[in-house]
Amino acid sequence: KQEVTQIPAALSVPEGENLVLNCSFTDSAIYNLQWFRQDPGKGLTSLLLIQSSQREQTSGRLNASLDKSSGRSTLYIAASQPGDSATYLCAGNAGGTSYGKLTFGQGTILTVHP
Amino acid sequence: GAGVSQSPRYKVAKRGQDVALRCDPISGHVSLFWYQQALGQGPEFLTYFQNEAQLDKSGLPSDRFFAERPEGSVSTLKIQRTQQEDSAVYLCASRGLSYEQYFGPGTRLTVT
């Protein structure tokens, strides 16, 4: 059974810092990994999806990497801004007969203060 | 539509009442998922539909939970005889041809 863990549980940084959020998963037979952002009282917004055949994806100030052999993914946020404050969730997709259902970590609560 | 919509956004139910939660997926999306998110936790899978067929309901916590998608578009998650432990945010997601899932805003259910 896939288990996903996110470290740290919470992170507070001053504006402008570069930061890294970590995600680890137990089953290396992962089909893809998706990073989401969740604002308080809102649904999930997809940030990046990395296929198992890829090692990283970039979108603006965000860069996500995937290392299946070590069971890890990282989300790098460059030049953080107060508007980046949210909960960040990673989710693994085992593909195949799992129909693509996602297994989520518990999230990292990020606060960027001015 | 432009995105996944869910209704109601908030629902308060007295213990023992039945509730019905609605999900309108992105038009044309074949796959539809329901997840349950407890406070401070990541979402957990409940059930999956491909068109009108419910192919996986392994995450439904009890037989009080029932989901349907009769015409392969709108889906309803029904909870019978609600209990306090059912209090959570219920998220719906749809998916097109890629593996990327798009989530609705969720329904926050509070059972008193």
Side-chain angles (χ1 to χ4, degrees):
Chain A
K1 179 186 173 183
Q2 179 74 273
E3 292 183 5
V4 179
T5 304
Q6 291 187 246
I7 295 173
L11 182 63
S12 180
V13 300
E15 181 176 6
E17 273 204 6
N18 302 324
L19 57 98
V20 174
L21 307 181
N22 297 291
C23 172
S24 62
F25 46 92
T26 55
D27 187 352
S28 62
I30 197 168
Y31 189 79
N32 61 46
L33 189 133
Q34 201 165 349
W35 281 92
F36 295 88
R37 167 187 175 136
Q38 187 172 33
D39 292 282
K42 306 286 187 180
L44 279 63
T45 299
S46 179
L47 298 173
L48 291 164
L49 182 147
I50 313 174
Q51 299 285 2
S52 60
S53 57
Q54 301 171 319
R55 291 193 64 85
E56 65 179 66
Q57 280 285 343
T58 297
S59 176
R61 295 183 294 107
L62 305 180
N63 175 277
S65 67
L66 176 64
D67 184 341
K68 288 181 57 178
S69 61
S70 66
R72 292 180 183 175
S73 176
T74 61
L75 179 66
Y76 175 83
I77 303 177
S80 58
Q81 303 171 358
D84 295 331
S85 298
T87 297
Y88 290 80
L89 294 153
C90 69
N93 171 5
T97 57
S98 78
Y99 305 113
K101 65 185 176 186
L102 296 174
T103 301
F104 284 84
Q106 292 189 320
T108 294
I109 302 171
L110 172 65
T111 304
V112 181
H113 47 87
Chain B
V4 179
S5 61
Q6 293 185 246
S7 61
R9 291 292 316 278
Y10 305 91
K11 177 69 178 179
V12 178
K14 290 185 178 179
R15 192 164 64 107
Q17 283 185 334
D18 298 349
V19 298
L21 313 180
R22 176 188 170 107
C23 172
D24 282 85
I26 293 173
S27 179
H29 277 192
V30 168
S31 299
L32 186 146
F33 300 81
W34 283 98
Y35 294 86
Q36 179 190 57
Q37 186 176 24
L39 189 64
Q41 304 293 316
E44 293 193 352
F45 169 80
L46 292 176
T47 188
Y48 165 71
F49 288 88
Q50 185 175 81
N51 295 305
E52 70 280 2
Q54 188 176 19
L55 299 184
D56 187 344
K57 53 182 181 179
S58 62
L60 296 177
S62 78
D63 58 7
R64 296 185 296 104
F65 286 71
F66 172 76
E68 60 183 6
R69 194 185 185 198
E71 297 180 357
S73 178
V74 171
S75 177
T76 303
L77 176 67
K78 298 179 179 178
I79 309 174
Q80 297 177 324
R81 305 181 303 280
T82 51
Q83 304 294 315
Q84 283 194 319
E85 61 263 29
D86 300 335
S87 295
V89 175
Y90 291 85
L91 295 164
C92 173
S94 70
R95 188 185 76 202
L97 296 178
S98 75
Y99 267 98
E100 190 164 5
Q101 293 188 25
Y102 297 89
F103 281 77
T107 294
R108 181 177 296 278
L109 173 64
T110 303
V111 181
T112 61

